[in-house]
Amino acid sequence: LSSEHGKVLADSRGDLQRGLEVIEFSCGIPHLLKGEYTQGAGPGIDVYSARQPLGVVAGITPFNFPAMIPMWMFGPAIACGNAFILKPSERDPSVPLRLAELMLEAGLPPGVLNLVFGAGSEVGSAIVEDPRVRALSFTGSNDVGVALYARAAAAGKKVQCEMGGKNPILVLEDADLSM
């Protein structure tokens, strides 16, 4: 991650650690997928919920967190029973590729986690337009996110977009700037 992306080693370790924390959480998801049942919610009314996988879901991730954000997307999706298509940034594809290799080595069946590579809008458009893809998660720029969201929502897909996120910081008057 450091050699391809340029992050210092401490940042690379943090990127991986925060991604692994979501993978660890995802290992407990089957317990949360049991659904619920309420008998007698009203006169003659029983209520239940059943959580079921969507099928094929996809994620498009940015260059700045090549390990963490893909793991945040594919970990829960796969744990919930979905196949996942990951389109990582073309700027630093080696880490997502290595993560996919490690998932296979760990026993994930082939075809559950799939990677597609490419620059520009062609690959993202193919994901959005494919009727087999039932949901899409995107992290990236506002312009791309707005366009993807509109097209995916119009196609009836579930869509989650995190766009233009920044890391704001406030420096107050009494801050010690010599540190």
Side-chain angles (χ1 to χ4, degrees), residues 41-83:
I45 299 173
D46 295 340
V47 178
Y48 71 93
S49 65
R51 295 186 172 99
Q52 299 176 343
L54 294 172
V56 179
V57 298
I60 299 174
T61 59
F63 76 95
N64 57 338
F65 290 98
M68 180 181 75
I69 294 178
M71 285 192 278
W72 282 4
M73 290 183 186
F74 72 67
I78 292 170
C80 289
N82 298 290

Side-chain angles (χ1 to χ4, degrees), residues 39-158:
Q39 185 175 9
I45 299 173
D46 295 340
V47 178
Y48 71 93
S49 65
R51 295 186 172 99
Q52 299 176 343
L54 294 172
V56 179
V57 298
I60 299 174
T61 59
F63 76 95
N64 57 338
F65 290 98
M68 180 181 75
I69 294 178
M71 285 192 278
W72 282 4
M73 290 183 186
F74 72 67
I78 292 170
C80 289
N82 298 290
F84 195 83
I85 299 169
L86 174 62
K87 192 278 182 209
S89 172
E90 67 281 358
R91 294 183 190 174
D92 47 10
S94 294
V95 171
L97 181 59
R98 182 64 182 136
L99 290 172
E101 291 169 349
L102 290 170
M103 293 289 285
L104 287 171
E105 287 178 28
L108 186 71
V112 175
L113 176 58
N114 306 277
L115 273 68
V116 293
F117 299 98
S121 63
E122 185 176 333
V123 176
S125 293
I127 291 170
V128 170
E129 293 167 9
D130 192 312
R132 295 169 293 183
V133 176
R134 304 278 310 277
L136 172 68
S137 183
F138 169 80
T139 300
S141 70
N142 288 335
D143 293 342
V144 173
V146 167
L148 281 174
Y149 185 89
R151 290 175 55 209
K157 299 178 190 299
K158 297 177 185 304

Side-chain angles (χ1 to χ4, degrees), residues 18-28 71-72 74-76 103:
R18 289 187 302 276
L20 288 171
E21 289 167 0
V22 172
I23 297 297
E24 289 173 358
F25 171 80
S26 298
C27 291
M71 285 192 278
W72 282 4
F74 72 67
M103 293 289 285

